[in-house]
């Protein structure tokens, strides 16, 4: 039953000029840009229509709010002093995770039907708008599947459960579950992104291994298993560490939960392996090569998630300006406001288009698509996340003081905005990875150049910017210019995608403001945009 309308006659005053909150919003039906991108990139519209209605429902939004309001709690011991090493979550968290799993967030990419990765990426985009914290365990579950191909026996046990479109939070060994989740624990305090500085050790114990060491970050510590790295005598090696054994807990100690800026509904922990049972995944000494498949797929999600955060912030801002008046005019009718929102919307449109185009490369067959996915997802992850923070901040400002109030979604979105730029490779790591990929994999450069050249002739700003880029860097940039190089390439790749897929108002506006240099430094310091056409797509 829908809630009764609140009373707006408060005796001392009548509540007016305050738009009624959006209790539900269909994330598919109300997103013309998403629907068009899915049609062009081969995603599954029927599946996403169902998911968008559920994700945007009032029930889902309420569950998400409860999951954030009542954050996870570490239960290290029970009342008798026996170890528990568990995390207690609000039921809203379990609800969001169950809905995401049942809608196919972690499974659609692996069911053998066309368009799986595009459909998955669209799910990331939509769920990120409602409860980004639950995206983390679902993303790692999705991304673990290709890494498991390094061991047929482990894949046979784990893959059917990781790809089951359901959620099973029961505490028992994986062979007793119908669905499972997978986490990841690589980072150690002394090394960070430099995993070769890790000190966790693995010793052989018959057909298994025993791990001892400390991990500085382990997201989703209640997952059924974890992919992790540890040293054997042969070098850094990848392992799968199950959380439950036959009737007993594996010796994975949860030392504390991280008190994070955002991602409040999701637990991130420091953990210790104390002679923990582990199964080797891949050859000894090949740990980075094995786990990089998981990292590669999680990067797709961190590339598309900022588009979802931008979309959510702009939707809220657009709703506000349509229902709010100032100085006898609706905010949406004021030229400066329209220019600001239209300028911000171009970053969202570009992020969505480029993210789904890279997901299409993940779906495509052959070495060329794989190479494009490898270089393209790094470029898109870098650029989308660098644009996300200012877009969300400006959208928050549109609401004035209300945007700073926790009763609106804006503070949550603002706290989430930097996250995907840090996880799975921060900005400098990604830029250096881009340089390495182009230096070591000639096919990656070739397919990227082909994509860029295919867009020539449609927009003079693009053509000139591409020529300027190649004149500035006839080969690779030096390390000190890696960010400039990556930003330039990422912007060109985004524009090439918009030329292929977007209406002229979007692609021409993006080129004129992002590639020509004819703008100021802050959002909204532009001119000449077709604001009517751009804002009509915000819905």
């Amino acid at each position: 039953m829908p809630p009764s309308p609140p009373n707006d006659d408060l005796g001392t005053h009548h509540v007016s000029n305050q738009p009624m909150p959006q209790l539900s919003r269909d994330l598919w039906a109300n997103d013309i840009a998403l629907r068009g991108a899915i049609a062009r990139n081969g995603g599954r519209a029927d599946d996403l229509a169902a998911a968008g209605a559920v994700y945007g429902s009032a029930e889902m939004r309420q569950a998400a709010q409860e999951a954030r309001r009542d954050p996870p709690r570490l239960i290290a011991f029970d009342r008798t002093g026996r170890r528990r090493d568990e995390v207690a979550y609000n039921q809203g968290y379990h609800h969001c995770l169950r809905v995401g799993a049942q809608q196919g967030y972690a499974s659609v990419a692996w069911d053998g039907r066309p368009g799986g990765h595009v459909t998955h990426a669209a799910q990331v985009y939509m769920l990120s708008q409602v409860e980004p914290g639950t995206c983390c365990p679902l993303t790692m579950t999705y991304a673990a599947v290709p890494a498991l191909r390094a061991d047929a026996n482990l894949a046979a046990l784990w893959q059917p459960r990781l790809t089951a479109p359901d959620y099973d939070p029961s505490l028992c060994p994986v062979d007793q579950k119908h669905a499972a989740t997978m986490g990841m624990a690589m980072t150690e305090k002394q090394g960070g992104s430099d995993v070769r500085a890790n000190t966790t050790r693995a010793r052989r114990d018959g057909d298994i291994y025993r791990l001892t060491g400390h991990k500085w970050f382990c997201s989703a510590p209640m997952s059924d298993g974890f992919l992790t790295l540890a040293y054997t005598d042969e070098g850094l090696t990848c392992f799968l560490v199950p959380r439950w054994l036959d009737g007993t807990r594996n010796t994975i100690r949860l030392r504390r939960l991280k008190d994070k800026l955002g991602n409040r509904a999701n637990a991130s922990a420091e953990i210790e392996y104390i002679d923990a049972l582990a199964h080797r995944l891949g050859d000894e000494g090949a740990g980075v090569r094995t786990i990089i498949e998981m990292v590669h797929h999680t990067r797709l999600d961190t590339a598309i998630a900022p588009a979802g955060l931008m979309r959510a912030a702009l939707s809220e801002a657009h709703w506000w300006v349509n229902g709010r008046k100032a100085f006898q005019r609706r905010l949406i009718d004021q030229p400066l406001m329209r220019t600001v929102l239209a300028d911000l919307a171009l970053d969202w449109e570009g992020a969505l288009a480029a993210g789904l185009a890279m997901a299409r490369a993940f779906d495509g067959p052959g070495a060329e698509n794989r190479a494009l996915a490898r270089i393209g997802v790094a470029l898109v992850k870098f650029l989308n996340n660098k644009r996300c923070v200012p877009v969300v901040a400006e959208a928050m400002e549109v609401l004035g003081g209300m945007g700073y109030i926790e009763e609106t979604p804006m503070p949550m979105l603002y706290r989430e905005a930097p996250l995907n730029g840090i996880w799975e490779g921060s900005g400098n790591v990604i830029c250096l990875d881009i340089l390495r990929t182009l230096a070591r994999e000639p096919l990656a450069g070739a397919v990227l150049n082909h994509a860029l050249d295919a867009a020539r002739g449609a927009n003079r700003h693009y053509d000139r910017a591409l020529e300027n880029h190649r004149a500035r860097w006839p080969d690779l940039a030096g390390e000190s210019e890696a960010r400039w190089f990556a930003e330039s390439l990422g912007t060109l790749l985004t524009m090439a995608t918009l030329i292929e897929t977007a209406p002229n108002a979007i692609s021409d506006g993006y080129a004129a403001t992002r590639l020509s240099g004819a703008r100021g430094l802050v959002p909204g310091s532009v001119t000449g945009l077709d604001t009517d056409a751009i804002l009509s797509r915000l819905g």
Side-chain angles (χ1 to χ4, degrees):
M1 178 182 295
S4 59
N7 184 8
D8 57 10
D9 187 356
L10 304 185
T12 60
H13 65 285
H14 184 83
V15 178
S16 63
N17 203 22
Q18 286 279 339
M20 287 291 291
Q22 304 176 97
L23 299 180
S24 65
R25 181 181 178 84
D26 191 316
L27 301 182
W28 171 261
N30 289 299
D31 195 333
I32 187 173
L34 174 62
R35 298 199 309 273
I38 290 302
R40 289 185 295 269
N41 289 294
R44 305 174 197 168
D46 290 344
D47 291 354
L48 291 170
V54 174
Y55 285 149
S57 67
E59 181 184 16
M60 185 72 169
R61 291 181 183 275
Q62 180 64 33
Q65 291 174 5
E66 292 299 323
R68 293 190 292 269
R69 187 176 294 121
D70 178 20
R73 302 179 306 280
L74 174 62
I75 304 175
F77 299 90
D78 71 5
R79 58 185 286 180
T80 69
R82 292 176 172 86
R83 291 209 67 104
R84 288 275 301 276
D85 291 299
E86 294 175 9
V87 178
Y89 297 92
N90 181 278
Q91 285 304 308
Y93 175 87
H94 292 291
H95 177 86
C96 292
L97 210 55
R98 180 174 291 106
V99 168
Q102 290 175 344
Q103 292 301 317
Y105 183 117
S107 59
V108 290
W110 312 117
D111 63 11
R113 297 164 56 202
H117 288 287
V118 171
T119 306
H120 161 77
Q123 294 241 19
V124 178
Y125 168 79
M126 291 193 291
L127 186 54
S128 293
Q129 298 178 47
V130 181
E131 193 359 74
T134 52
C135 290
C136 177
L138 291 169
T139 283
M140 291 189 294
T141 300
Y142 148 78
V145 172
L148 287 173
R149 294 170 185 158
D151 188 293
N153 291 329
L154 289 174
L157 173 62
W158 284 87
Q159 184 167 330
R161 294 164 175 85
L162 297 178
T163 57
D166 205 355
Y167 174 59
D168 180 0
S170 59
L171 304 178
C172 58
V174 67
D175 61 359
Q176 299 175 26
K177 297 171 70 91
H178 67 274
T181 57
M182 185 73 77
M184 182 164 52
M186 293 199 296
T187 306
E188 297 184 11
K189 60 167 71 78
Q190 73 283 352
S193 297
D194 182 8
V195 295
R196 296 190 185 279
N198 286 4
T199 61
T200 298
R201 298 293 302 181
R203 65 175 180 86
R204 190 151 196 159
D205 184 10
D207 292 334
I208 60 170
Y209 289 76
R210 298 286 177 175
L211 269 54
T212 298
H214 177 271
K215 296 295 179 180
W216 192 229
F217 276 98
C218 174
S219 292
M222 289 294 282
S223 299
D224 296 291
F226 307 94
L227 294 191
T228 195
L229 295 173
Y231 271 100
T232 68
D233 291 341
E234 298 299 319
L236 197 60
T237 303
C238 186
F239 295 91
L240 194 165
V241 185
R243 190 159 61 87
W244 280 87
L245 309 178
D246 291 333
T248 62
R249 290 172 169 82
N250 203 354
T251 49
I252 306 170
R253 304 299 190 217
L254 306 188
R255 288 307 182 189
R256 62 171 175 166
L257 299 187
K258 298 290 195 180
D259 188 7
K260 305 189 298 293
L261 168 68
N263 218 242
R264 298 278 181 84
N266 177 48
S268 298
E270 287 179 40
I271 67 171
E272 287 182 341
Y273 299 130
I274 303 177
D275 225 25
L277 183 149
H279 304 283
R280 193 185 79 222
L281 184 62
D283 295 333
E284 287 196 20
V288 173
R289 186 168 68 249
T290 302
I291 208 168
I292 199 67
E293 282 298 320
M294 185 175 188
V295 173
H296 178 52
H297 285 75
T298 57
R299 282 185 178 175
L300 173 63
D301 289 21
T302 57
I304 192 67
L309 298 176
M310 286 188 265
R311 168 64 183 179
L314 287 169
S315 293
E316 194 73 12
H318 193 245
W319 156 80
W320 178 262
V321 298
N322 273 279
R324 179 83 166 171
K325 290 183 178 180
F327 310 110
Q328 291 76 53
R329 287 190 300 172
R330 288 194 314 159
L331 294 179
I332 189 60
D333 296 328
Q334 300 187 22
L336 182 56
M337 180 63 74
R338 295 179 68 80
T339 298
V340 170
L341 283 178
D343 192 21
L344 297 176
L346 292 175
D347 282 319
W348 154 61
E349 291 261 11
L352 175 62
L356 291 179
M358 291 309 100
R360 182 180 64 193
F362 276 70
D363 277 323
E368 289 81 4
N369 275 301
R370 182 169 177 80
L372 180 59
R374 174 81 171 89
I375 185 62
V377 78
L379 289 166
V380 172
K381 170 178 159 49
F382 177 72
L383 184 65
N384 285 1
N385 283 291
K386 292 307 176 188
R387 298 309 311 145
C388 186
V389 174
V391 168
V392 173
E394 288 286 346
M396 176 190 290
E397 186 177 318
V398 168
L399 274 68
M402 281 301 297
Y404 213 64
I405 303 301
E406 291 286 350
E407 289 173 309
T408 77
M410 304 307 274
M412 178 274 287
L413 295 170
Y414 187 69
R415 287 191 294 267
E416 294 291 336
L419 178 62
N420 293 286
I422 296 172
W423 282 4
E424 307 310 330
S426 57
N428 285 357
V429 171
I430 294 296
C431 290
L432 295 176
D433 185 53
I434 289 166
L435 294 183
R436 280 193 299 269
T437 299
L438 292 174
R440 298 176 182 178
E441 301 178 26
L443 184 58
V447 295
L448 178 60
N449 281 323
H450 177 76
L452 297 177
D453 285 332
R456 296 178 69 175
N459 183 281
R460 60 187 176 85
H461 296 306
Y462 173 78
D463 292 349
R464 186 177 300 114
L466 182 58
E467 292 171 4
N468 290 341
H469 174 90
R470 288 172 172 169
R472 178 68 184 80
W473 295 289
D475 196 3
L476 293 181
E479 180 177 325
S480 64
E481 293 185 354
R483 282 197 172 211
W484 187 8
F485 179 79
E487 179 189 4
S488 177
L489 265 183
T491 306
L492 288 166
L493 180 60
T494 298
M495 180 58 194
T497 304
L498 290 173
I499 287 173
E500 177 191 359
T501 62
N504 288 341
I506 303 298
S507 59
D508 290 348
Y510 192 94
T513 56
R514 273 68 178 165
L515 295 175
S516 74
R519 63 167 296 147
L521 296 178
V522 299
S525 57
V526 297
T527 189
L529 297 180
D530 185 347
T531 57
D532 289 347
I534 295 170
L535 295 180
S536 70
R537 292 167 61 82
L538 279 175

